[in-house]
Amino acid sequence: SFAHSAREGSSFMSSNAQLEAALNVQEPNPAPADDNTPSVGSRSADRVLGAGLALLGGGLCGIQAIPSDLYLNSHKNLSKITTVLPQCMGVWLGATIIYLLHASVARLAGNRVPHSVI
């Protein structure tokens, strides 16, 4: 048992080494770059682009509720939940169409499309 091994000290260390050996804990080897790997700019330029895209996404996420708020203000008798499902379905449908277009263009260009985005 674990408590018994912990008291023995050396056998605990050997079982710990055996566990690490059994798990074979190592850093993964980087995959070799193939010809279809897109070229990446400098690391700082990628970070600036990523931060800009995050700010744009956050801004668009913040203003997407404005049309439903305006609609609900003009229709006081409706519940606030009446605009949630259409809004969510619109976001899902828009994201699906964008991904399908990206995957189609990449496939036609001969680039590999990673499907782990879903």
Side-chain angles (χ1 to χ4, degrees):
S1 79
F2 178 75
H4 179 68
S5 330
R7 276 184 253 134
E8 292 181 4
S10 65
S11 84
F12 175 71
M13 293 302 287
S14 64
S15 64
N16 193 17
Q18 290 171 349
L19 179 62
E20 286 180 7
L23 292 176
N24 195 15
V25 179
Q26 295 177 359
E27 290 294 320
N29 294 333
D34 57 300
D35 295 331
N36 292 335
T37 303
S39 62
V40 179
S42 71
R43 190 166 174 93
S44 61
D46 288 344
R47 287 183 180 194
V48 169
L49 177 64
L53 288 174
L55 289 172
L56 177 67
L60 291 175
C61 183
I63 64 171
Q64 77 170 353
I66 292 175
S68 66
D69 287 342
L70 293 175
Y71 180 80
L72 288 174
N73 284 338
S74 64
H75 297 85
K76 302 269 186 209
N77 58 342
L78 293 177
S79 170
K80 290 188 177 193
I81 197 77
T82 56
T83 60
V84 172
L85 179 64
Q87 190 173 10
C88 291
M89 292 300 293
V91 169
W92 178 81
L93 184 63
T96 301
I97 289 171
I98 289 170
Y99 176 73
L100 290 175
L101 286 173
H102 165 71
S104 299
V105 169
R107 185 103 185 211
L108 289 173
N111 295 330
R112 186 171 168 261
V113 178
H115 291 290
S116 63
V117 295
I118 295 176

